[in-house]
Amino acid sequence: MPTQFEVLFAPAEFDALRHRDLSAAVCVVFDVLRATSSMITALANGAAAIFPVTEIDEALARWRQNPEVLLAGERDGVRIQASQTGGVDFHLGNSPREYTPERVRGKTIVTTTTNGTRALRACAGARAVLVGCFLNLPAIARWLQHTRPPQLWLVGSGTFDQAALEDVLAAGALADLVWPVWGKGEVADSARMARWLYRQKGGDLEKNLAVSRNGRRLLARPELQADVAFCCQQNIYDFAAGLEPDGAIRRWPEA
Ligand code: MLT
């Protein structure tokens, strides 16, 4: 079957997905620094499910329905505080290092972040939506190779309204892994650009992410600095995860 392969760099592009027919498409959404890296880490450490929501109020409404859930996420990079919610402190921020087995095992998490959760929700009409980051790329590639969707879109969450270097690099790394299949079909220039960037600059991820807007922001805060190195780790988790019909992200069994 002929394939189509595209990378979406910035929020304006994923917002436009709402007007496209996604029924044959599989989307892999990247927010390397840090939303998707945190989600994959939470699932690796035993979280049962993660509900990504766009607004703080939506997260609070879910928590009021079920006070057992953990509220998570960030605004301006830091955990959401009582002053932003009318009195409720969120339990977790958006650092993957917070999502330890002790904190998350068996838990359902509701999370809202600036870009990552928005990008995931924008793709919700796709045939499947996977959560992408450097931590589990080969497992994602395996799932794709097994499932062979005719349309493959790698979606960078970006930073505010701009493209993010780390998301494009991760999309390029995945493009490289799946190139033997999707490189043979209809390939958008954006997919070539991401792959070329990864081939040029993917060698020293930590150094290259340090110059990105998000990398600089995290490195400037002593308590968040180590997140950059954490999110640059490759292939430490061997599972794929994605959105399910109830809107939750869960680990998927091997395809
Ligand atoms: C986002 O969703 O925009 C981020 O992951 C931001 C962050 O982690 O600080």
Side-chain angles (χ1 to χ4, degrees):
M1 186 185 287
T3 56
Q4 293 176 340
F5 185 26
E6 190 171 335
V7 173
L8 278 60
F9 292 125
E13 291 172 274
F14 69 65
D15 279 339
L17 283 180
R18 294 176 214 282
H19 310 293
R20 285 169 77 167
D21 176 12
L22 302 184
S23 53
V26 164
C27 296
V28 184
V29 176
F30 292 94
D31 190 338
V32 169
L33 295 176
R34 299 162 293 168
T36 53
S37 300
S38 294
M39 291 171 186
I40 292 298
T41 303
L43 293 172
N45 286 338
I50 302 168
F51 285 89
V53 300
T54 46
E55 305 301 332
I56 291 175
D57 281 349
E58 209 182 331
L60 290 170
R62 280 186 178 270
W63 170 73
R64 287 198 180 99
Q65 272 169 11
N66 176 10
E68 296 283 295
V69 303
L70 293 177
L71 287 170
E74 56 70 40
R75 289 294 179 271
D76 291 323
V78 291
R79 184 167 58 86
I80 296 164
Q81 314 281 327
S83 57
Q84 294 159 286
T85 66
V88 180
D89 270 322
F90 274 37
H91 307 101
L92 295 157
N94 198 30
S95 166
R97 294 172 301 123
E98 289 176 80
Y99 292 73
T100 58
E102 296 70 34
R103 302 292 303 276
V104 304
R105 189 178 292 122
K107 300 282 188 186
T108 295
I109 299 169
V110 179
T111 186
T112 174
T113 68
T114 317
N115 282 52
T117 54
R118 253 180 73 204
L120 282 158
R121 292 284 288 258
C123 296
R127 177 171 141 187
V129 182
L130 286 91
V131 177
C133 60
F134 283 111
L135 308 175
N136 68 338
L137 276 183
I140 298 172
R142 257 196 337 267
W143 188 93
L144 291 170
Q145 271 146 3
H146 185 268
T147 312
R148 301 271 173 140
Q151 293 176 348
L152 176 57
W153 294 342
L154 310 186
V155 179
S157 298
T159 308
F160 296 106
D161 55 354
Q162 298 176 352
L165 178 59
E166 64 277 11
D167 296 339
V168 181
L169 276 169
L174 183 57
D176 209 35
L177 288 174
V178 301
W179 202 253
V181 176
W182 279 274
K184 290 202 178 91
E186 193 181 316
V187 180
D189 286 356
S190 59
R192 284 185 208 285
M193 286 155 70
R195 179 168 179 251
W196 285 352
L197 182 73
Y198 175 72
R199 291 198 140 215
Q200 285 243 321
K201 295 288 179 189
D204 189 345
L205 277 182
E206 210 177 316
K207 181 169 146 238
N208 290 320
L209 263 56
V211 302
S212 69
R213 180 174 171 185
N214 269 327
R216 284 183 280 121
R217 177 176 59 87
L218 294 167
L219 291 169
R221 287 180 182 267
E223 73 284 12
L224 301 181
Q225 270 170 8
D227 286 352
V228 177
F230 187 97
C231 297
C232 286
Q233 299 175 95
Q234 298 198 51
N235 196 18
I236 59 167
Y237 302 132
D238 196 27
F239 65 90
L243 275 177
E244 302 207 319
D246 64 352
I249 293 164
R250 293 190 181 84
R251 274 174 85 134
W252 286 349
E254 190 73 20

